[in-house]
Amino acid sequence: MTFFFFLGALSCNPSLGGVGKGQLVKEVDALDGLCGRAGDWAGIHFSILNRRKGPAVWGPRAQLDRERYRKFIQSELLSTPRLTVVEGSVEDLLVTEPNPEEPGHHKVTGIRLENGSDPISASSVILTTGTFLTGSLFMGQTMSPGGRIGDAPSSAGLSRTMRERLGLRIGRLRTGTPPRIVKDSVDLAQAHLHLPDSPPTPFSFLNTHTRCKPEEQLPCYLTYTTPGVERVVQESLHLNCHIQQDAKGPRYCPSIESRVLRFPGRKHQVWLEPEGVTSDLLYPQGLSMTMPPDIQLRLIREIPAMHRAEIHTPGYGVQYDFVCPTQLSPALQVKSTQGLFLAGQINGTTGYEEAAAQGLWAGVNAARWALSMPAVTLSRTESYIGVLIDDLVSRGVTEPYRMFTSRAEFRTSLRPDNADLRLTLKGFEEVGCVSSLRYQEAVRVRDSLHEALAALQSLVLSSPNWKKKLPDIHICEAKNGMDVLQYSDVSFEMLASAFPECLSPYMEFSQRLKIEAVYKRHCDLQRKEIARIQKEENMSLPQDMDYISLPVSLSNEAREILDRVRPSTLGAATRLQGITPAAIVHLLHYVRCIGQKERQRHRSQPDQKEERKEDLCASSASLPQ
């Protein structure tokens, strides 16, 4: 295999995880991806966001040391057997006629480098261009080609090939980055100190602790914008061409100019975050800006903690090409092009967590394509990765997509603590991307948790006997240990002290068992709902179906949407904007008819019962919408 990327370079914000994003990191780790272990190695400030809410929406997050992260990633990749790393800029794709036995109008057979060396052949190619695809940098009224300041501009050949040769719909998005501030020039005494969690919670299921010891973690600081910041933004709008562009900007991490224009008169948070243990720079999260450098300095000095701050590197905006993701299958393969897979910001997403999730799944399916194996998918009922991919390929994007826990309908089941039980076993047994070491650990954890839950449920006592065991807890009726553990003021440690002979062997899972108890009733209900939805939503829709002339009652709008997106399953169709429940009913009846007719073809003499079913299906096409 051959990969092309800048090895181990963190995004503009040297952090990992967050609300929704942390769940993705845990799932990537459960499928044996690297970013969780890299975060545990390079983290210098660990925290769980949303602590005051339920564990299902906790957001594991860490500030990272750039240099430590880069070294860890490079060490892991460069020591991977049978992996060859080639550095260079990809100029173009090698495209030939498609295999007539597979769907698609084109076939990718490799790539061509900009340096003029021999083309590199490949059975499958994954493009992970980040924010660099025909990227442009904006600062004030100046514009230059590029994707990160100081880096060479990317080739325009890829965009041209995808647009003109492959016929893909290409859009334009924008993002930005804040200036980097010299740490010693900031008066941190005027900002609010925020300490990390102690002890830190690792991302990876393979780790029991992080490399950074609790006492070695670095703090972050919180400050706020002032009316002076708003005044500088308003006075400099005529000098800022990026904010006036019509390319879609990020809704969830907008520039300070956008925030001031959208919400005038408000104070906005600014987090001052360390870039590394030995770094002399601070990252001012919340101050992404694209105004001229001298105006940037004026703006940051309007914030009391930075009234004497010095800028090391100014902020800037980036515009870049992306491929409308409704043109992809759930395997992240371009529907019209055999062997071409896309992952990351090229699909219209934000940060590195979403990119890592897509990269892993595109990598799995690109490898399976090369081995002539069928593609694999993840349902939105079993993972945040499934939610992410389904949202992209079914709904598309109009602005950079960011993962939140609110996007997952079954988030009480898709928790950070159980990603290994949800995905690691499947990753080993069905997908083939998980090592035997990780698989054996997941099996051990699964079996131990089952034993612990059984032990808890076997502890059935009357209310008076529970009162003797836990005198400070009011238990109104006879319950088993699992029910008692649901009480907010009961911990597993308390039960283990009361019943050491049967519960003490499971102390390492104390937090997981507490979470399981709290969510047991909710998860039982969700499992029933998931089973009901999966029964219908996994029904495949033929990819060659002619929606425009389909003999069912559908509006012209619904026909156009279905024909453009071509959802792979009925569940994907239900989430398309503009598709009504009535349209889904008609589609369901029609697809069932196709299946019945297919089965009838394999019977020499279909019986009258089957004929009546055909008549029933035919009549459903005339139902009013």
Side-chain angles (χ1 to χ4, degrees):
M1 287 185 170
T2 307
F3 290 75
F4 303 87
F5 47 86
F6 190 67
L7 284 178
L10 279 170
S11 63
C12 66
N13 184 356
S15 67
L16 188 69
V19 178
K21 289 173 175 283
Q23 277 81 345
L24 288 175
V25 174
K26 298 289 285 188
E27 292 185 356
V28 169
D29 178 74
L31 289 166
D32 232 354
L34 269 182
C35 63
R37 281 175 279 162
D40 291 344
W41 181 260
I44 54 177
H45 176 111
F46 291 83
S47 59
I48 302 293
L49 307 184
N50 267 358
R51 276 278 195 190
R52 286 180 291 183
K53 298 183 179 180
V57 294
W58 286 354
R61 187 181 186 275
Q63 285 297 127
L64 308 179
D65 183 295
R66 289 186 183 275
E67 189 62 17
R68 288 182 180 180
Y69 188 89
R70 183 184 64 82
K71 287 182 177 179
F72 181 89
I73 292 292
Q74 289 191 3
S75 174
E76 289 290 318
L77 293 179
L78 296 178
S79 62
T80 300
R82 295 183 294 176
L83 174 66
T84 301
V85 176
V86 178
E87 184 178 357
S89 178
V90 178
E91 169 68 23
D92 205 356
L93 297 170
L94 305 179
V95 182
T96 65
E97 293 299 313
N99 179 350
E101 298 180 358
E102 299 284 349
H105 307 304
H106 312 277
K107 181 180 180 181
V108 167
T109 59
I111 55 96
R112 181 179 289 109
L113 294 180
E114 193 177 36
N115 61 15
S117 61
D118 292 337
I120 298 176
S121 298
S123 299
S124 56
V125 173
I126 312 167
L127 292 182
T128 57
T129 56
T131 58
F132 296 83
L133 190 60
T134 319
S136 300
L137 303 185
F138 291 79
M139 193 183 300
Q141 293 181 305
T142 64
M143 186 274 285
S144 59
R148 183 187 287 124
I149 197 166
D151 289 352
S154 64
S155 166
L158 282 176
S159 280
R160 186 168 53 248
T161 294
M162 288 190 289
R163 180 184 291 108
E164 299 176 4
R165 182 83 186 273
L166 303 182
L168 297 177
R169 296 191 307 280
I170 306 292
R172 196 84 169 152
L173 293 173
R174 74 167 184 242
T175 186
T177 188
R180 305 307 189 272
I181 309 300
V182 177
K183 184 176 182 179
D184 290 343
S185 68
V186 178
D187 185 2
L188 294 174
Q190 295 197 49
H192 303 284
L193 175 69
H194 275 255
L195 297 174
D197 291 350
S198 185
T201 302
F203 285 106
S204 179
F205 289 98
L206 293 182
N207 292 333
T208 57
H209 60 276
T210 63
R211 179 196 181 192
C212 188
K213 297 177 181 178
E215 64 274 13
E216 295 174 345
Q217 295 186 91
L218 301 181
C220 292
Y221 296 86
L222 175 63
T223 186
Y224 296 88
T225 61
T226 63
V229 168
E230 185 168 341
R231 184 179 64 253
V232 172
V233 169
Q234 295 285 359
E235 292 174 353
S236 63
L237 285 178
H238 66 289
L239 300 174
N240 192 335
C241 64
H242 185 64
I243 200 66
Q244 300 167 13
Q245 298 291 327
D246 58 1
K248 290 289 186 178
R251 176 190 299 265
Y252 303 111
C253 48
S255 65
I256 188 61
E257 298 100 319
S258 297
R259 296 165 77 187
V260 163
L261 293 175
R262 278 187 212 166
F263 309 106
R266 288 193 189 179
K267 287 197 310 181
H268 300 282
Q269 289 186 344
V270 179
W271 287 93
L272 303 176
E273 301 170 332
E275 293 228 338
V277 173
T278 59
S279 174
D280 60 352
L281 301 180
L282 290 175
Y283 180 93
Q285 184 185 186
L287 282 185
S288 172
M289 59 182 74
T290 59
M291 56 190 64
D294 59 323
I295 307 296
Q296 294 187 28
L297 185 61
R298 276 183 53 200
L299 185 147
I300 66 171
R301 287 186 172 180
E302 292 290 341
I303 299 174
M306 295 189 282
H307 64 289
R308 294 179 181 173
E310 296 293 337
I311 292 178
H312 178 271
T313 307
Y316 55 92
V318 181
Q319 288 190 10
Y320 57 97
D321 284 351
F322 79 103
V323 175
C324 301
T326 54
Q327 300 167 104
L328 306 179
S329 73
L332 295 180
Q333 181 177 11
V334 176
K335 294 177 183 177
S336 64
T337 306
Q338 298 168 5
L340 180 60
F341 297 77
L342 308 181
Q345 286 92 336
I346 192 174
N347 292 337
T349 57
T350 58
Y352 275 25
E353 297 85 358
E354 291 89 347
Q358 294 172 73
L360 185 147
W361 208 243
V364 161
N365 280 300
R368 293 176 71 89
W369 173 271
L371 296 171
S372 300
M373 297 172 67
V376 288
T377 59
L378 283 173
S379 166
R380 65 188 298 124
T381 62
E382 65 181 333
S383 66
Y384 274 83
I385 299 176
V387 172
L388 165 67
I389 294 174
D390 186 59
D391 282 351
L392 292 176
V393 304
S394 298
R395 300 179 179 180
V397 298
T398 56
E399 60 191 359
Y401 177 102
R402 181 176 182 176
M403 177 53 69
F404 290 106
T405 53
S406 58
R407 296 190 188 275
E409 302 92 324
F410 305 106
R411 53 189 170 273
T412 57
S413 298
L414 309 182
R415 304 188 306 271
D417 65 281
N418 66 9
D420 55 342
L421 301 185
R422 289 187 280 114
L423 297 175
T424 300
L425 277 64
K426 177 173 182 171
F428 182 85
E429 297 168 354
E430 300 177 29
V431 181
C433 64
V434 169
S435 69
S436 58
L437 175 65
R438 184 183 287 270
Y439 175 71
Q440 291 167 9
E441 173 62 11
V443 169
R444 182 189 76 84
V445 171
R446 179 199 62 189
D447 294 346
S448 297
L449 285 173
H450 285 173
E451 292 171 4
L453 292 172
L456 283 167
Q457 290 173 333
S458 69
L459 297 173
V460 180
L461 301 178
S462 64
S463 295
N465 285 333
W466 275 117
K467 184 68 175 177
K468 293 177 183 178
K469 290 288 186 179
L470 303 172
D472 297 328
I473 308 299
H474 176 66
I475 299 174
C476 58
E477 59 185 54
K479 292 179 178 288
N480 64 41
M482 193 69 170
D483 296 328
V484 171
L485 191 54
Q486 294 178 23
Y487 283 61
S488 59
D489 47 359
V490 175
S491 67
F492 182 80
E493 288 82 357
M494 293 169 60
L495 291 178
S497 296
F499 304 95
E501 64 285 348
C502 61
L503 296 183
S504 59
Y506 309 108
M507 285 299 297
E508 66 173 302
F509 305 111
S510 58
Q511 186 181 64
R512 294 185 68 157
L513 290 165
K514 174 66 177 179
I515 295 173
E516 285 287 343
V518 168
Y519 283 106
K520 183 180 184 302
R521 184 172 60 86
H522 301 283
C523 289
D524 288 344
L525 292 173
Q526 277 200 351
R527 271 190 284 271
K528 294 177 182 178
E529 188 176 355
I530 288 171
R532 180 181 61 81
I533 290 175
Q534 285 180 332
K535 184 178 179 181
E536 299 294 356
E537 82 160 4
N538 288 335
M539 177 183 288
S540 296
L541 298 179
Q543 287 301 292
D544 59 352
M545 189 145 53
D546 185 358
Y547 290 103
I548 301 300
S549 60
L550 209 63
V552 297
S553 179
L554 293 174
S555 68
N556 289 334
E557 179 189 12
R559 292 178 188 275
E560 291 171 2
I561 293 170
L562 291 167
D563 185 66
R564 183 179 72 250
V565 178
R566 309 202 71 79
S568 58
T569 65
L570 190 71
T574 64
R575 290 180 285 276
L576 294 177
Q577 294 182 359
I579 302 299
T580 64
I584 294 297
V585 170
H586 297 317
L587 201 57
L588 172 63
H589 286 319
Y590 182 80
V591 175
R592 280 178 174 169
C593 285
I594 293 175
Q596 290 170 3
K597 289 178 180 179
E598 196 66 33
R599 288 191 293 272
Q600 286 179 354
R601 288 195 186 101
H602 297 287
R603 299 175 183 173
S604 57
Q605 294 182 342
D607 58 27
Q608 292 182 354
K609 182 178 179 181
E610 289 297 323
E611 291 175 5
R612 284 197 299 272
K613 285 184 179 179
E614 262 192 76
D615 293 339
L616 177 61
C617 288
S619 67
S620 71
S622 62
L623 289 172
Q625 186 174 3

